Amino acid sequence: MIDTETVFKSNFKVGAYPFYEKLRQQDPIFAMSHENGQTSWIVTKYDHVKEVLKKSSFIKDQSKFFSGSSDEEQSKILSVFRNMMLDVDPPDHTRLRKLVQPYFNPKTIKNLEPRIAEIADELLLKMKEKKGPIDLINDYAFPLPIIVISELLGVPSEDRDKFRKWSNTIVAAVDNLANTFEEDVTAFIEYLTYLFEERKDNPGDDLISKLIQAEEEGEQLNKDELYSMIVLLIIAGHETTVNLIANTMFALFEHPDQLEKLKEDFSFIETAVEEGLRYYSPVDFSTARWAEEDLEFHGKTFRRGDLVLASLSSANRDEEKFNKAGDFDITRENNPHVAFGFGIHFCLGAPLARLEGKIAIEKLLIAFPDIHLAENTSPPQFRQVFLLRGLGVLEVELDT
């Protein structure tokens, strides 16, 4: 008997992987019924997950099923999220993605490599000046991607730390963990309004200036979509990479033989990053999809408006797809994981996240070859955010 409430328990992340394994074996398309009559489905097998992510009958636009807020102020706040590229379907998704795709293609991202390396070196230099245990997330895994995405967008350096609080509020709101949601999102919108006005008067070569120009032309981007696009790029532009860097380092600490293998031969850095993405996927579940109409899916009946969640973490540990799926192996070559999703919503920032992860981890291990988990501290804990898999703190010692 599978306990439906397991998914919603505060310690779910601790036992998530055994739970996913049980689902894959006993009930891979798992129905959860809610008190309001809504049914949510968790899809756990690799092939099924890819099908959900690709199938056009599972849509993103929940407004087709649920009416919006009648509260004018709340509706204004929520409009920032309703127009996100991540949560719309074609043709709007196609139009929005086409607008920003050139800034995230592999060739463009490759040109950022020298600057990313420079940022990593600057952060590592600051870390060398510190004594005792440090929080690898606070001092390295977080600031590196937030600096990169801020520079790409054109956000002033003195404002970057604000985004951490706002981003945490937004991702925690999915789990009703943020009691300052309205206050923080309002502050975020007010800040962006100020930034947009400033950039209209003083446009630069940054992405925000280019998106404002597109909005003013009125053909490619409306005002709500402009706000949504920047919020998405700021949050998605660092959240996934923070988790990628910290999760992969944690997996290496858990598997010292693999850590030693990487330090001895950095030609494994790319496969190590890919294995980190598979083993501890930065995004646990895909964002919500909804059954557009009643349909049959591998023997299960989905009703119109049912919520469908694809478990990327489970798919990436599917024994039928990955040899020794429960092992962390930095030399794994056949590794078609779905950590960045699949289909038209495949993560736009995947090339950037991969490059940042590769540079960050290699430079960290070269600078501090004796780095290890700090002793006499609490075991690292994954944040209790349903959609994501990321550590809250990762305390390390930099030398022996």
Side-chain angles (χ1 to χ4, degrees):
M1 182 69 178
I2 298 173
D3 179 9
T4 303
E5 294 304 313
T6 295
V7 181
F8 302 106
K9 290 178 179 176
S10 61
N11 65 345
F12 170 63
K13 298 291 180 186
V14 176
Y17 284 107
F19 179 70
Y20 297 146
E21 182 179 3
K22 189 175 182 180
L23 285 184
R24 289 193 302 272
Q25 293 172 354
Q26 298 182 17
D27 196 359
I29 302 169
F30 179 54
M32 298 184 295
S33 299
H34 306 288
E35 291 180 358
N36 62 0
Q38 174 77 25
T39 298
S40 298
W41 298 87
I42 291 184
V43 182
T44 57
K45 294 188 74 170
Y46 182 91
D47 289 340
H48 295 167
V49 164
K50 287 187 72 172
E51 192 173 346
V52 166
L53 299 180
K54 188 176 180 180
K55 202 172 179 68
S56 60
S57 51
F58 296 127
I59 64 173
K60 290 281 195 166
D61 184 5
Q62 62 175 302
S63 68
K64 290 189 176 182
F65 316 108
F66 310 106
S67 59
S69 170
S70 58
D71 183 291
E72 185 175 342
E73 188 62 31
Q74 188 179 45
S75 182
K76 178 183 176 182
I77 291 172
L78 293 177
S79 69
V80 172
F81 306 101
R82 291 196 192 103
N83 293 281
M84 278 188 179
M85 178 174 61
L86 193 64
D87 294 321
V88 296
D89 303 299
D92 287 331
H93 174 269
T94 308
R95 169 176 55 85
L96 293 171
R97 190 175 179 107
K98 186 177 179 180
L99 187 63
V100 293
Q101 181 72 56
Y103 302 99
F104 292 92
N105 66 49
K107 184 178 178 180
T108 303
I109 295 304
K110 182 68 175 175
N111 292 333
L112 297 176
E113 185 168 358
R115 178 56 184 148
I116 297 171
E118 186 178 42
I119 293 166
D121 286 337
E122 291 169 357
L123 293 169
L124 292 167
L125 192 60
K126 291 179 181 177
M127 287 163 60
K128 286 180 179 178
E129 298 170 355
K130 298 195 173 186
K131 304 293 184 183
I134 69 162
D135 177 6
L136 191 61
I137 295 173
N138 190 64
D139 287 335
Y140 192 61
F142 168 76
L144 189 148
I146 199 67
I147 291 171
V148 172
I149 194 64
S150 295
E151 290 186 354
L152 187 63
L153 291 169
V155 173
S157 58
E158 63 269 20
D159 295 331
R160 292 171 191 152
D161 284 345
K162 297 176 184 177
F163 294 133
R164 187 173 198 178
K165 182 174 187 294
W166 293 335
S167 176
N168 284 340
T169 293
I170 290 166
V171 298
V174 177
D175 303 273
N176 299 313
L177 296 175
N179 53 19
T180 60
F181 176 79
E182 188 169 325
E183 176 186 339
D184 285 344
V185 175
T186 299
F188 203 167
I189 294 171
E190 288 175 351
Y191 174 80
L192 290 180
T193 301
Y194 160 78
L195 189 61
F196 293 162
E197 291 301 320
E198 191 276 333
R199 208 50 52 85
K200 284 179 182 178
D201 294 336
N202 301 286
D205 194 37
D206 55 84
L207 186 48
I208 285 180
S209 295
K210 291 178 171 63
L211 290 174
I212 289 171
Q213 184 179 353
E215 187 266 331
E216 287 182 321
E217 291 171 356
E219 296 179 358
Q220 297 173 297
L221 198 69
N222 64 42
K223 191 171 183 179
D224 285 340
E225 289 170 341
L226 172 62
Y227 279 87
S228 294
M229 181 69 79
I230 301 303
V231 170
L232 175 61
L233 291 176
I234 289 170
I235 295 173
H238 81 275
E239 281 281 358
T240 302
T241 310
V242 174
N243 294 350
L244 163 58
I245 296 169
N247 291 359
T248 303
M249 285 305 306
F250 181 49
L252 287 166
F253 292 141
E254 286 184 311
H255 301 83
D257 61 320
Q258 299 298 303
L259 178 57
E260 289 304 313
K261 187 179 293 186
L262 181 57
K263 288 192 295 185
E264 289 170 4
D265 186 355
F266 282 108
S267 68
F268 291 126
I269 187 62
E270 291 188 4
T271 51
V273 167
E274 295 305 311
E275 183 68 343
L277 285 162
R278 183 196 71 86
Y279 190 79
Y280 280 143
S281 305
V283 179
D284 219 347
F285 288 91
S286 68
T287 50
R289 285 165 171 77
W290 313 85
E292 187 172 21
E293 302 293 345
D294 293 358
L295 60 94
E296 292 293 316
F297 187 74
H298 295 279
K300 297 296 180 82
T301 301
F302 288 21
R303 300 300 181 190
R304 182 179 185 276
D306 280 359
L307 172 65
V308 184
L309 294 167
S311 174
L312 306 181
S313 287
S314 177
N316 287 337
R317 297 280 191 101
D318 190 340
E319 303 83 356
E320 294 182 7
K321 185 64 181 179
F322 298 95
N323 183 40
K324 297 182 179 178
D327 291 353
F328 179 73
D329 178 6
I330 67 165
T331 68
R332 188 185 298 271
E333 293 183 356
N334 182 24
N335 195 355
H337 63 75
V338 288
F340 291 116
F342 185 73
I344 63 169
H345 288 280
F346 180 84
C347 178
L348 182 73
L352 179 57
R354 283 182 160 118
L355 181 60
E356 289 174 320
K358 174 187 168 184
I359 292 171
I361 293 168
E362 182 171 355
K363 280 189 168 289
L364 176 67
L365 293 177
I366 290 173
F368 303 108
D370 295 320
I371 188 172
H372 58 277
L373 285 175
E375 297 178 2
N376 303 319
T377 59
S378 300
Q381 296 291 323
F382 287 99
R383 295 160 60 196
Q384 298 304 319
V385 178
F386 185 71
L387 293 179
L388 303 178
R389 174 166 288 273
L391 294 159
V393 175
L394 185 58
E395 287 199 333
V396 299
E397 296 276 4
L398 300 175
D399 49 36
T400 54

